[in-house]
């Protein structure tokens, strides 16, 4: 039985290969993940916004969204930041999905993650 680290590396590679062949036009149209510019230190900033994303019931949408995120982050070769904007009218993503996101993110990309900001605006 291969150890967990080897299995994860193998699975990560197959996921990125699958992502290279996937059409992300519907995902891109949702604007749930986009490059917002650079911070004051020149690091890229990506915004992950759940407003239009988490409500999707389309079969395979969650998997496609995961692939898109992993592909986007895999292409970043410098320190970067992610801003997660949570719309409180929309349910939180499942723990299972977030765990897969973490496990399948390349360790280099995780090491390059400089900051993660979580914004949860109040309605009052």
């Amino acid at each position: 039985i291969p150890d967990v680290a080897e299995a994860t590396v193998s699975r990560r590679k197959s996921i990125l290969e699958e992502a290279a062949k996937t059409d992300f036009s519907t995902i891109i149209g949702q604007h749930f993940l986009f490059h917002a510019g650079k911070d004051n230190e020149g690091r890229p900033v990506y915004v992950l916004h759940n407003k239009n994303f988490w409500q999707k019931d389309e079969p395979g949408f969650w998997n496609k969204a995961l692939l898109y995120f992993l592909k986007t982050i895999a292409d970043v070769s410098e320190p970067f930041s992610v801003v997660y904007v949570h719309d409180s009218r929309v349910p939180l993503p499942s723990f299972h999905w977030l765990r897969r996101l973490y496990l399948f993110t390349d360790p280099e990309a995780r090491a390059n993650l400089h900051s993660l900001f979580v914004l949860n605006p109040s309605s009052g």
Side-chain angles (χ1 to χ4, degrees):
I1 298 173
D3 83 356
V4 174
E6 287 177 23
T8 303
V9 168
S10 172
R11 181 70 177 122
R12 186 180 304 119
K13 183 179 178 187
S14 68
I15 285 172
L16 289 176
E17 288 170 358
E18 183 181 348
K21 298 182 273 183
T22 303
D23 174 19
F24 292 112
S25 55
T26 58
I27 299 290
I28 293 168
Q30 292 298 316
H31 301 289
F32 88 95
L33 175 66
F34 57 92
H35 180 245
K38 295 189 178 274
D39 67 10
N40 59 355
E41 301 291 325
R43 293 179 291 259
V45 175
Y46 293 87
V47 173
L48 179 62
H49 194 295
N50 76 332
K51 182 179 176 189
N52 298 319
F53 172 61
W54 308 113
Q55 298 173 1
K56 291 296 176 191
D57 294 326
E58 174 186 323
F61 186 85
W62 286 92
N63 189 51
K64 194 180 273 191
L66 178 73
L67 291 173
Y68 182 65
F69 182 85
L70 295 174
K71 180 182 183 304
T72 301
I73 297 307
D75 293 339
V76 181
S77 60
E78 60 185 318
F80 66 97
S81 296
V82 174
V83 178
Y84 171 67
V85 181
H86 180 73
D87 184 329
S88 59
R89 297 170 293 180
V90 180
L92 289 168
S94 73
F95 177 76
H96 176 73
W97 190 84
L98 290 171
R99 185 171 187 272
R100 288 178 64 209
L101 185 71
Y102 177 80
L103 285 175
F104 296 132
T105 298
D106 187 274
E108 244 181 74
R110 281 196 301 244
N112 279 334
L113 178 61
H114 178 264
S115 301
L116 171 64
F117 299 97
V118 178
L119 303 178
N120 189 13
S122 65
S123 59

